[in-house]
Amino acid sequence: MAENLAYTYVIVGGGIAGVTCAETLALLRPNDSTDRILLLTESPLVKAVTNVVPLGKILNRFDVEEKSTGELAAANNIDVLLDQLDSIASEDHLVRTTAGRCISYRYLCLCTGARPNIIDKAKGNANVIGIRDTESVEEFRKRIHTATRLVVVGNGGIASELVYEVDGLEEVHWVIKDPYISSTFVDSGAASFFRERLNTKASMDKQKTIYKRMRYTEQNEESASAGVTKRGAALGPDWHRAFDIQKHGEAGTRNANKVTIHHSVEVEDIQEVTSGLQVRLTDGTTIECDFVVSATGVVPATSWTGGCDRTFKLGPDGGLFVNWSMETSIGDVYAAGDVCYAGWEHASHWFQMRLWTQARQMGAMAARSMAAKRDGEEIYQDFCFEMFNHVTTLFGYQVVLLGRYNGQGLNDKYEVLLRMTPGLEYIKFVLVDGRLQGALLVGETGLEETCENLILNQLDLSPYGEDLLDPNIDIEDYFD
C-alpha cells in the first residue's frame, strides 16, 4: 500500500539550492508553527553551505560541505526522504515518487539541478565520463589509478581545476573550443596569467590539504528499498580540495609541461581501440588515451516534467521559467538553482549563470517567497540580484567576478583598465562613460567591496582616468 504524507513545504533536490531553501524555511518558521518541511532527495549525501565570509554587501565566499540527510534533518528540524520525484498532480497539490509514495503539499519547490552535457560523439561510451557530482569524481579517482593518458574536454571551472590539480599522468590533453583557456570566466589576458601558473606548477612546493569528509555507502538499505537510481548534487566551490585526484605510486612530481592544450577545436569522433580510446579532433589531430572527461557544461534536469498534469513554461535553455519570486508558471510551484530559467527583467548588472552562488541565492529567495505567500505578506526581490557576483578558485588563485566583468551585453561599447602583477594579481575594470560596469579580480586584491560599491552607485570615475589602477594609489581607501 502506498505511503501518504502531508507537508506545508516540499523541496525536491539535495543540492545547494534545495538545501538552502529548506534551511531558510526552517529559520523563517515560527517556533510554534505547525508548518512541516520535507526535503526529497535522491542521495544520502546533501550539499550545505558553510563558513560564509562576507566580502561586500552582496559578495560572499563560502564552502560547500557534504552532510548526511540525518545530520541535516536533526540540525534544522525538517524531514528528509530518500526517494525520487516521479510525477506532479498540481491540481491536487500532490507529488508521487518512484517508490510509490504520495505526498501532498501546500507549496512545492523544484531544485532538481542540472545534468552533465556529455559530448554528442561520446554518449553511451563507458570510457567517457562527466564530472558533475561527488559520485562522478569518485569514478574519476578510481580510473586515474590505472591510467597514464587523459583527455579533458571543456573550458569551464571544473575542466580548468581538473587539469591543474591532476597529477602523475604521462599525458594530459586539454581540448577547448575557444582560443584561450578558462573562457567561461575570464578574458584572454587573465588566461595568459593562468597559463603561466599552469606551466610552472612543477616547480611549486604545493602541499594540498585534503578536507576531511564523511563517507557513506553508495547505496544504503533505505535507498535500496526505495528503488532510487542515485544522482548526486552538483559539486561546490573548491571541490577538488575534498578529493585526492593524484595518481599514487609516482615520484610526487607535478605534471607540468605534460599538459597539451588544443585550442579552437572540438571532438569530431571517439573510437574504441585496443589501447583504450582514440579521439579525433576537428583539426585532424588524433589522440590516444585511457579515458575522456567531458566537462562541457550542463543542461537543466527536467526529464520528470512529462509526468506533470500541466505543462511548465520553459525558458530558451530548457529550464523552468520562473518570475522574480522564483514561482513557475504553475501556481504554488517554485523552482531554484540550475533547473530554472530566470524569466524576469534583469537588473542592468545581473545575468544568469548556473553557478553554486546563484543556486544559493535562488534557494533562499524561493524560501522567502513561499513563506511570505503562506503568511499573506508582500516581499521584494533580494538585493543580491542587483549585480552578478561570484567567488571561485582557479589555478590556485581566488577569482572574484562582479557585474559585467567580461563586458557581457555591452555591445563592445566599453573600455577596459588592466593591472597585472605576474604571479600575484590580475585586475580588470570594465567601464562605460567613465562608470564601472564590471570587474574581474584575480588574487588577494582587497578590492572586492570597493568595486561592488562603484558598480552599484555608478560614480563617474572619468576624472581619475588610468590612475584608477595605479599601484601607488590605494583606491580602496580613496573610495571608502
Side-chain angles (χ1 to χ4, degrees), residues 85-361:
L85 174 66
D86 180 67
S87 62
I88 302 172
S90 61
E91 292 282 357
D92 300 320
H93 282 61
L94 294 173
V95 296
R96 293 182 175 85
T97 71
T98 55
R101 296 182 174 98
C102 184
I103 308 168
S104 68
Y105 65 86
R106 181 67 187 87
Y107 302 102
L108 173 66
C109 188
L110 300 165
C111 306
T112 52
R115 56 179 176 80
N117 186 25
I118 302 295
I119 49 180
D120 289 338
K121 304 295 182 183
K123 288 178 179 176
N125 192 315
N127 289 317
V128 179
I129 64 172
I131 296 288
R132 173 64 180 168
D133 53 20
T134 301
E135 291 73 28
S136 59
V137 177
E138 290 290 355
E139 175 66 18
F140 174 82
R141 289 180 67 247
K142 293 174 185 176
R143 288 174 179 265
I144 203 172
H145 289 314
T146 58
T148 59
R149 303 161 301 169
L150 170 67
V151 171
V152 178
V153 184
N155 206 14
I158 287 180
S160 299
E161 285 301 278
L162 193 66
V163 170
Y164 179 67
E165 292 291 337
V166 72
D167 267 340
L169 298 178
E170 293 179 6
E171 297 178 23
V172 175
H173 294 267
W174 191 3
V175 178
I176 61 176
K177 65 179 180 180
D178 310 290
Y180 57 88
I181 64 174
S182 307
S183 65
T184 299
F185 291 130
V186 303
D187 58 15
S188 57
S192 298
F193 180 84
F194 289 143
R195 180 70 180 264
E196 186 65 25
R197 173 65 69 95
L198 184 63
N199 291 340
T200 59
K201 67 178 179 177
S203 62
M204 298 170 60
D205 184 18
K206 182 170 178 283
Q207 294 297 320
K208 182 179 176 184
T209 301
I210 307 297
Y211 286 156
K212 290 182 179 179
R213 49 195 297 271
M214 299 177 69
R215 295 298 303 141
Y216 302 89
T217 57
E218 288 296 308
Q219 190 165 36
N220 61 18
E221 192 172 308
E222 183 181 358
S223 62
S225 63
V228 177
T229 302
K230 191 157 76 72
R231 183 172 58 88
L235 297 168
D238 295 330
W239 62 272
H240 51 87
R241 293 180 61 190
F243 302 90
D244 184 359
I245 54 174
Q246 301 181 18
K247 182 179 179 181
H248 295 288
E250 304 295 326
T253 58
R254 297 187 62 80
N255 62 356
N257 304 320
K258 297 177 184 177
V259 176
T260 302
I261 302 176
H262 303 267
H263 299 90
S264 304
V265 294
E266 296 184 57
V267 174
E268 185 172 88
D269 192 29
I270 298 178
Q271 295 289 337
E272 298 274 0
V273 293
T274 305
S275 58
L277 291 181
Q278 187 179 79
V279 180
R280 187 170 73 247
L281 307 181
T282 50
D283 65 354
T285 301
T286 299
I287 307 166
E288 290 196 0
C289 64
D290 297 297
F291 69 104
V292 173
V293 172
S294 177
T296 47
V298 298
V299 292
T302 57
S303 58
W304 46 264
T305 54
C308 185
D309 59 347
R310 284 190 282 179
T311 302
F312 282 94
K313 180 179 180 180
L314 302 180
D317 60 3
L320 301 178
F321 190 102
V322 294
N323 60 21
W324 67 265
S325 65
M326 309 308 299
E327 190 168 13
T328 69
S329 58
I330 297 177
D332 296 331
V333 179
Y334 295 72
D338 289 355
V339 74
C340 73
Y341 169 79
W344 64 87
E345 184 177 350
H346 301 167
S348 58
H349 296 109
W350 190 89
F351 56 92
Q352 184 180 12
M353 188 181 286
R354 286 181 168 82
L355 301 166
W356 47 84
T357 297
Q358 289 191 0
R360 175 176 179 253
Q361 294 166 344

Side-chain angles (χ1 to χ4, degrees), residues 414-465:
Y414 58 87
E415 60 176 323
V416 170
L417 292 182
L418 290 174
R419 185 173 92 200
M420 182 180 73
T421 306
L424 183 64
E425 65 179 13
Y426 181 91
I427 301 170
K428 179 177 78 169
F429 284 3
V430 176
L431 301 102
V432 173
D433 297 330
R435 290 173 168 81
L436 191 64
Q437 306 300 315
L440 167 62
L441 309 174
V442 180
E444 301 295 331
T445 67
L447 295 175
E448 297 87 6
E449 188 169 13
T450 298
C451 291
E452 194 181 68
N453 288 333
L454 290 175
I455 294 171
L456 291 171
N457 64 31
Q458 288 295 283
L459 182 68
D460 187 0
L461 304 173
S462 301
Y464 308 100

